[in-house]
Every structure is written in C-alpha cells, then in structure tokens.
Amino acid sequence: MEKFQISGSEWRVWTKGEGKPILFVHGFPFDHSMFIPSCFPLLDRFQVILPDLPGFGESRFLEGIGPDKIGMADYADGLAAILDRLKIEKTILCGLSMGGYIAMQFFRRHSERLAGLVFCDTRPTPDSPEAAAGRLRLAESVFQTGVEPLPARMIPNLLSERTRRESPGVVRFVTEMILRQTPSGVAAAARGMAERDDSTEFLKEITVPTLALCGKEDNLSPPNIIRSMAEAVPGAEFLEIDGAAHLPPLESPLLFSGGIRRFAEKVYGDGIAEGEGT
Ligand code: MLT
C-alpha cells in the first residue's frame, strides 16, 4: 500500500501484480476492498491499482473533516495525479457507479491517460432534483446519525435477492465496508454527486475501447441504461453479469473478473505477454 498527498488529502493506493495496468475506482459509500475478490484472478497478467478515494477507506483528509463537497472532477484529477506518482502513462480505468461518474469526468479531463474504459453499474445522467435533494439530506443527517443506518437502508438495493439469501458472507462484507466509512467522506461525496453534470453528450466522443457492464438485477443502474451507454460509445461492448445486482465484483466475482480479463486482453493485445511497462 502506498500513500500519496494530493491537494488536501492523503490517498492510500494498493498496487498488486505485474503487467499492464487496470485502475479500479470504487462506488459510494465503499472503498477499494470491494474489488479485492475479483482482482485476484487478474494478478497473473495485470497490475491492478486500487485507490481509496479521499474520505473513504484508509484515505484521509489532512485537515479537520475535509471539504464540504468533492466533485466528480476533483476525484478524477486526483486519480490522474496518482497515475503520475506511479509513473503510469496510460491505463484501463474501471469505475463502478460513483466510480463510473468519476470515469466519465476522467475521460472529459484526462482522455490521453486512457487505454480503455469500463463503466460498471453506472449512468451518464445527473440526479433528478428529488434525488439531489435526498443526497443533501443524507449529507446533513450522516453527521447526526453516523453511518450506522446506511447498510439496512442500502443493502436491499445493492445486492440481488439471491445474494442476500444465499451469501451471508457477502452481506456481512458490504455491511462492514459501509460501516468503515466516515460521515465527512460520505457527506462530501454525496454533495459532489448531487451536483454532477450530464455526461451523455460525451459518450459519442469516447475513442478508446469501452466495456459497459452491469449486474442483471441492478435496479439502481438497470441494464437498459448500461446497454444504451454501450450503444452511445462507438464500438463499445455490453455485458450483463448473472447473479448480481449493483455490486457484480462482490456478488459474481469470477464472472466479473472474467469479463474484465477478456476486455483487458483485447485492449492490451500481445503487449501483456511480456508484462511490458506502460
Ligand atoms: C454507488 O454505488 O456508487 C452509488 O449507487 C452511486 C449513487 O448513489 O448514485
């Protein structure tokens, strides 16, 4: 694990494996650990890069409770700075849900750093006024209640009915991951998401290979949205993951990593055989 100080935050970043890079950006309110089970099968051929976004996991704000709000573009700029520190010129960037909102901003601001894009269980559109208002209420309330009410409220939408019934270990993993997050990190991201702008028009400008994937039972970012993202990006592929709702890397880790592997092998071609630097 490495630590990097970037504009008011200390980012913690795990890098594992050797070969061409894949940067995984977690969703809300999670941390890098959501990708660990699905990353192991990739380590023989790829370098996986797993940051905790500022305010999440083990990343920290350097002063006080940190900023009121962190925009998706701010996270994207931080990720570009992480790539600089790691001396990685280009990477595949895989962003899940909020990570996907950040991936869209990353494309808009740092497209020259991208070898490929994976949008997981996300959407290009901004919040409705009602959804944005709900985020602002959450940002206020989390300082009163802490994060304790969040797992019970969120898990029915995050995990498929089957995962909840048959995989108590996954339910526990997600519960504990949410409970690790701080009110300040959650509030800053919620306010940032509430103000995110519309990236729909930019999808047609994406020129790097792109995979849009989602859990078949995702009701938060349903398959029809991910499919239309794949249709909007020239040449993009679409993949539905069986047995998963909003969190395929945890609910169906082997199907998820298999999809990422096939895509990354296609993107990087023969170069991965030598584990070339970037
Ligand atoms: C996530 O998983 O990152 C969230 O569902 C994103 C959101 O709340 O829009």
Side-chain angles (χ1 to χ4, degrees), residues 14 26 30-38 50-52 57 173 176-178 180-181 249-250:
W14 283 255
H26 63 78
F30 313 131
D31 58 36
H32 80 283
S33 68
M34 69 174 303
F35 291 113
I36 288 178
S38 52
L50 304 172
D52 280 342
F173 188 100
E176 289 170 1
M177 179 169 63
I178 294 173
R180 272 200 298 279
Q181 311 313 326
L250 288 168

mmCIF file of all heavy atoms in Angstrom, residues 14 26 30-38 50-52 57 173 176-178 180-181 249-250:
data_model
loop_
_atom_site.group_PDB
_atom_site.id
_atom_site.type_symbol
_atom_site.label_atom_id
_atom_site.label_comp_id
_atom_site.label_asym_id
_atom_site.label_seq_id
_atom_site.Cartn_x
_atom_site.Cartn_y
_atom_site.Cartn_z
ATOM 1 N N TRP A 14 -3.462 0.712 -3.231
ATOM 2 C CA TRP A 14 -2.885 -0.636 -3.269
ATOM 3 C C TRP A 14 -2.553 -0.949 -4.725
ATOM 4 O O TRP A 14 -3.393 -0.785 -5.601
ATOM 5 C CB TRP A 14 -3.881 -1.669 -2.751
ATOM 6 C CG TRP A 14 -4.005 -1.671 -1.259
ATOM 7 C CD1 TRP A 14 -3.492 -2.597 -0.394
ATOM 8 C CD2 TRP A 14 -4.685 -0.709 -0.439
ATOM 9 N NE1 TRP A 14 -3.797 -2.245 0.896
ATOM 10 C CE2 TRP A 14 -4.521 -1.104 0.911
ATOM 11 C CE3 TRP A 14 -5.389 0.467 -0.709
ATOM 12 C CZ2 TRP A 14 -5.052 -0.380 1.972
ATOM 13 C CZ3 TRP A 14 -5.909 1.192 0.352
ATOM 14 C CH2 TRP A 14 -5.736 0.765 1.668
ATOM 15 N N HIS A 26 -13.819 2.731 -6.853
ATOM 16 C CA HIS A 26 -14.960 2.177 -6.118
ATOM 17 C C HIS A 26 -16.174 3.110 -6.138
ATOM 18 O O HIS A 26 -16.100 4.288 -6.480
ATOM 19 C CB HIS A 26 -14.546 1.856 -4.674
ATOM 20 C CG HIS A 26 -14.131 3.034 -3.847
ATOM 21 N ND1 HIS A 26 -15.024 3.908 -3.285
ATOM 22 C CD2 HIS A 26 -12.893 3.477 -3.470
ATOM 23 C CE1 HIS A 26 -14.369 4.826 -2.587
ATOM 24 N NE2 HIS A 26 -13.069 4.604 -2.691
ATOM 25 N N PHE A 30 -18.266 3.133 -0.387
ATOM 26 C CA PHE A 30 -17.438 1.927 -0.275
ATOM 27 C C PHE A 30 -15.959 2.310 -0.237
ATOM 28 O O PHE A 30 -15.615 3.481 -0.029
ATOM 29 C CB PHE A 30 -17.722 0.988 -1.458
ATOM 30 C CG PHE A 30 -19.186 0.770 -1.731
ATOM 31 C CD1 PHE A 30 -19.708 0.906 -3.014
ATOM 32 C CD2 PHE A 30 -20.060 0.435 -0.707
ATOM 33 C CE1 PHE A 30 -21.057 0.715 -3.272
ATOM 34 C CE2 PHE A 30 -21.418 0.236 -0.949
ATOM 35 C CZ PHE A 30 -21.913 0.380 -2.239
ATOM 36 N N ASP A 31 -15.114 1.300 -0.441
ATOM 37 C CA ASP A 31 -13.676 1.564 -0.550
ATOM 38 C C ASP A 31 -13.065 0.518 -1.482
ATOM 39 O O ASP A 31 -13.794 -0.300 -2.067
ATOM 40 C CB ASP A 31 -12.996 1.624 0.835
ATOM 41 C CG ASP A 31 -13.176 0.347 1.637
ATOM 42 O OD1 ASP A 31 -13.172 -0.749 1.025
ATOM 43 O OD2 ASP A 31 -13.319 0.430 2.873
ATOM 44 N N HIS A 32 -11.731 0.529 -1.589
ATOM 45 C CA HIS A 32 -11.075 -0.327 -2.579
ATOM 46 C C HIS A 32 -11.372 -1.813 -2.360
ATOM 47 O O HIS A 32 -11.282 -2.608 -3.283
ATOM 48 C CB HIS A 32 -9.554 -0.108 -2.536
ATOM 49 C CG HIS A 32 -8.894 -0.857 -1.423
ATOM 50 N ND1 HIS A 32 -8.933 -0.442 -0.102
ATOM 51 C CD2 HIS A 32 -8.230 -2.038 -1.423
ATOM 52 C CE1 HIS A 32 -8.300 -1.322 0.656
ATOM 53 N NE2 HIS A 32 -7.854 -2.289 -0.114
ATOM 54 N N SER A 33 -11.726 -2.180 -1.113
ATOM 55 C CA SER A 33 -11.861 -3.610 -0.802
ATOM 56 C C SER A 33 -12.980 -4.268 -1.610
ATOM 57 O O SER A 33 -12.996 -5.489 -1.756
ATOM 58 C CB SER A 33 -12.071 -3.825 0.704
ATOM 59 O OG SER A 33 -13.320 -3.317 1.099
ATOM 60 N N MET A 34 -13.894 -3.458 -2.161
ATOM 61 C CA MET A 34 -14.975 -4.068 -2.944
ATOM 62 C C MET A 34 -14.446 -4.800 -4.185
ATOM 63 O O MET A 34 -15.136 -5.638 -4.756
ATOM 64 C CB MET A 34 -16.016 -3.020 -3.367
ATOM 65 C CG MET A 34 -15.540 -2.021 -4.393
ATOM 66 S SD MET A 34 -16.908 -0.954 -4.931
ATOM 67 C CE MET A 34 -18.053 -2.172 -5.495
ATOM 68 N N PHE A 35 -13.226 -4.486 -4.606
ATOM 69 C CA PHE A 35 -12.686 -5.138 -5.801
ATOM 70 C C PHE A 35 -11.734 -6.294 -5.477
ATOM 71 O O PHE A 35 -11.288 -6.993 -6.391
ATOM 72 C CB PHE A 35 -11.938 -4.112 -6.675
ATOM 73 C CG PHE A 35 -12.857 -3.110 -7.328
ATOM 74 C CD1 PHE A 35 -12.815 -1.776 -6.963
ATOM 75 C CD2 PHE A 35 -13.765 -3.497 -8.304
ATOM 76 C CE1 PHE A 35 -13.654 -0.841 -7.560
ATOM 77 C CE2 PHE A 35 -14.609 -2.572 -8.906
ATOM 78 C CZ PHE A 35 -14.556 -1.235 -8.534
ATOM 79 N N ILE A 36 -11.408 -6.480 -4.201
ATOM 80 C CA ILE A 36 -10.361 -7.459 -3.889
ATOM 81 C C ILE A 36 -10.711 -8.873 -4.375
ATOM 82 O O ILE A 36 -9.909 -9.503 -5.067
ATOM 83 C CB ILE A 36 -10.001 -7.421 -2.388
ATOM 84 C CG1 ILE A 36 -9.233 -6.123 -2.121
ATOM 85 C CG2 ILE A 36 -9.164 -8.629 -1.980
ATOM 86 C CD1 ILE A 36 -8.851 -5.908 -0.680
ATOM 87 N N PRO A 37 -11.938 -9.395 -4.084
ATOM 88 C CA PRO A 37 -12.194 -10.774 -4.512
ATOM 89 C C PRO A 37 -12.098 -10.966 -6.027
ATOM 90 O O PRO A 37 -11.680 -12.020 -6.484
ATOM 91 C CB PRO A 37 -13.637 -11.030 -4.034
ATOM 92 C CG PRO A 37 -13.883 -10.006 -2.982
ATOM 93 C CD PRO A 37 -13.058 -8.808 -3.336
ATOM 94 N N SER A 38 -12.456 -9.957 -6.785
ATOM 95 C CA SER A 38 -12.447 -10.139 -8.239
ATOM 96 C C SER A 38 -11.104 -9.772 -8.854
ATOM 97 O O SER A 38 -10.878 -10.036 -10.043
ATOM 98 C CB SER A 38 -13.563 -9.320 -8.889
ATOM 99 O OG SER A 38 -13.497 -8.004 -8.451
ATOM 100 N N LEU A 50 -5.716 -0.020 -6.859
ATOM 101 C CA LEU A 50 -6.950 0.098 -6.077
ATOM 102 C C LEU A 50 -6.831 1.262 -5.106
ATOM 103 O O LEU A 50 -6.335 1.091 -3.983
ATOM 104 C CB LEU A 50 -7.188 -1.189 -5.279
ATOM 105 C CG LEU A 50 -7.244 -2.516 -6.038
ATOM 106 C CD1 LEU A 50 -7.294 -3.682 -5.060
ATOM 107 C CD2 LEU A 50 -8.458 -2.566 -6.949
ATOM 108 N N PRO A 51 -7.276 2.445 -5.484
ATOM 109 C CA PRO A 51 -7.234 3.555 -4.531
ATOM 110 C C PRO A 51 -8.467 3.584 -3.631
ATOM 111 O O PRO A 51 -9.543 3.126 -4.019
ATOM 112 C CB PRO A 51 -7.235 4.791 -5.444
ATOM 113 C CG PRO A 51 -7.877 4.338 -6.718
ATOM 114 C CD PRO A 51 -7.720 2.849 -6.820
ATOM 115 N N ASP A 52 -8.279 4.111 -2.428
ATOM 116 C CA ASP A 52 -9.414 4.579 -1.621
ATOM 117 C C ASP A 52 -9.569 6.059 -1.945
ATOM 118 O O ASP A 52 -8.607 6.839 -1.783
ATOM 119 C CB ASP A 52 -9.124 4.434 -0.120
ATOM 120 C CG ASP A 52 -9.332 3.011 0.378
ATOM 121 O OD1 ASP A 52 -10.002 2.215 -0.307
ATOM 122 O OD2 ASP A 52 -8.816 2.717 1.474
ATOM 123 N N GLY A 57 -12.402 4.534 3.123
ATOM 124 C CA GLY A 57 -11.411 3.516 3.447
ATOM 125 C C GLY A 57 -10.322 4.102 4.333
ATOM 126 O O GLY A 57 -10.594 4.754 5.338
ATOM 127 N N PHE A 173 -19.788 -8.585 4.436
ATOM 128 C CA PHE A 173 -18.675 -7.820 3.856
ATOM 129 C C PHE A 173 -19.133 -6.404 3.492
ATOM 130 O O PHE A 173 -18.488 -5.407 3.830
ATOM 131 C CB PHE A 173 -18.171 -8.551 2.607
ATOM 132 C CG PHE A 173 -16.911 -7.978 2.004
ATOM 133 C CD1 PHE A 173 -15.683 -8.558 2.258
ATOM 134 C CD2 PHE A 173 -16.956 -6.862 1.165
ATOM 135 C CE1 PHE A 173 -14.518 -8.037 1.699
ATOM 136 C CE2 PHE A 173 -15.804 -6.333 0.609
ATOM 137 C CZ PHE A 173 -14.570 -6.933 0.875
ATOM 138 N N GLU A 176 -19.978 -4.316 6.663
ATOM 139 C CA GLU A 176 -18.775 -3.836 7.371
ATOM 140 C C GLU A 176 -18.058 -2.758 6.565
ATOM 141 O O GLU A 176 -17.522 -1.797 7.122
ATOM 142 C CB GLU A 176 -17.841 -5.017 7.672
ATOM 143 C CG GLU A 176 -18.430 -5.906 8.765
ATOM 144 C CD GLU A 176 -17.673 -7.222 8.948
ATOM 145 O OE1 GLU A 176 -16.679 -7.451 8.234
ATOM 146 O OE2 GLU A 176 -18.106 -8.017 9.812
ATOM 147 N N MET A 177 -18.064 -2.918 5.242
ATOM 148 C CA MET A 177 -17.399 -1.912 4.401
ATOM 149 C C MET A 177 -18.105 -0.556 4.545
ATOM 150 O O MET A 177 -17.446 0.484 4.710
ATOM 151 C CB MET A 177 -17.419 -2.379 2.942
ATOM 152 C CG MET A 177 -16.780 -1.432 1.956
ATOM 153 S SD MET A 177 -16.562 -2.192 0.334
ATOM 154 C CE MET A 177 -18.244 -2.526 -0.163
ATOM 155 N N ILE A 178 -19.425 -0.548 4.533
ATOM 156 C CA ILE A 178 -20.152 0.724 4.671
ATOM 157 C C ILE A 178 -19.899 1.317 6.064
ATOM 158 O O ILE A 178 -19.661 2.527 6.208
ATOM 159 C CB ILE A 178 -21.665 0.523 4.418
ATOM 160 C CG1 ILE A 178 -21.904 0.119 2.962
ATOM 161 C CG2 ILE A 178 -22.449 1.797 4.750
ATOM 162 C CD1 ILE A 178 -23.341 -0.264 2.636
ATOM 163 N N ARG A 180 -17.361 1.177 7.853
ATOM 164 C CA ARG A 180 -15.996 1.728 7.994
ATOM 165 C C ARG A 180 -15.890 3.176 7.532
ATOM 166 O O ARG A 180 -14.901 3.842 7.782
ATOM 167 C CB ARG A 180 -15.031 0.920 7.112
ATOM 168 C CG ARG A 180 -14.417 -0.282 7.744
ATOM 169 C CD ARG A 180 -13.155 -0.699 7.004
ATOM 170 N NE ARG A 180 -13.351 -1.092 5.624
ATOM 171 C CZ ARG A 180 -13.769 -2.297 5.226
ATOM 172 N NH1 ARG A 180 -14.048 -3.216 6.112
ATOM 173 N NH2 ARG A 180 -13.909 -2.588 3.940
ATOM 174 N N GLN A 181 -16.881 3.640 6.763
ATOM 175 C CA GLN A 181 -16.734 4.971 6.140
ATOM 176 C C GLN A 181 -17.063 6.085 7.143
ATOM 177 O O GLN A 181 -17.795 5.876 8.095
ATOM 178 C CB GLN A 181 -17.613 5.068 4.889
ATOM 179 C CG GLN A 181 -17.455 3.887 3.935
ATOM 180 C CD GLN A 181 -16.006 3.510 3.647
ATOM 181 O OE1 GLN A 181 -15.126 4.367 3.601
ATOM 182 N NE2 GLN A 181 -15.734 2.226 3.459
ATOM 183 N N PRO A 249 -18.726 -7.113 -8.693
ATOM 184 C CA PRO A 249 -17.405 -7.600 -8.260
ATOM 185 C C PRO A 249 -17.463 -8.403 -6.962
ATOM 186 O O PRO A 249 -16.577 -9.212 -6.693
ATOM 187 C CB PRO A 249 -16.591 -6.318 -8.031
ATOM 188 C CG PRO A 249 -17.334 -5.234 -8.701
ATOM 189 C CD PRO A 249 -18.765 -5.645 -8.775
ATOM 190 N N LEU A 250 -18.519 -8.187 -6.157
ATOM 191 C CA LEU A 250 -18.656 -8.952 -4.915
ATOM 192 C C LEU A 250 -19.663 -10.091 -5.054
ATOM 193 O O LEU A 250 -19.524 -11.126 -4.427
ATOM 194 C CB LEU A 250 -19.095 -8.027 -3.770
ATOM 195 C CG LEU A 250 -18.017 -7.074 -3.272
ATOM 196 C CD1 LEU A 250 -18.616 -6.011 -2.362
ATOM 197 C CD2 LEU A 250 -16.923 -7.847 -2.545
#
